[in-house]
Amino acid sequence: PARQRLAREMFDAVLAAVRAADADRVLVVSPSALVLPRGVGLVHDAESGLDAALTHAREVARACGATRLAIVAADLPQLRACDVDALVH
């Protein structure tokens, strides 16, 4: 429970930073049916490995019209919106 709570807190911090950044769309890749804020999409990860999950996410993003993609890990609790903006611009 404590480890899961910490993981969720880090995820929430990263998601808040990404949503505050200049991103057109935010997709989360997860094997779980997470409760996400409105406007954040969920890409189901079939738990077939990181490479497969990210490849699938890239395909979903392209199908949604994405021309650029930034992959951000959920374990970066100090991430800020300006960091994300610097990454994508």
Side-chain angles (χ1 to χ4, degrees), residues 29 43-59:
V29 180
V43 177
H44 180 72
D45 169 14
E47 297 191 64
S48 55
L50 181 61
D51 289 341
L54 297 179
T55 298
H56 178 62
R58 183 184 68 217
E59 292 168 357

Side-chain angles (χ1 to χ4, degrees), residues 34-85:
L34 299 173
V35 176
L36 298 171
R38 173 178 246 142
V40 176
L42 178 64
V43 177
H44 180 72
D45 169 14
E47 297 191 64
S48 55
L50 181 61
D51 289 341
L54 297 179
T55 298
H56 178 62
R58 183 184 68 217
E59 292 168 357
V60 170
R62 283 184 178 164
C64 291
T67 57
R68 297 182 298 161
L69 178 69
I71 297 169
V72 181
D75 60 351
L76 302 170
Q78 299 299 314
L79 187 72
R80 299 171 299 160
C82 62
D83 300 324
V84 178
D85 287 335

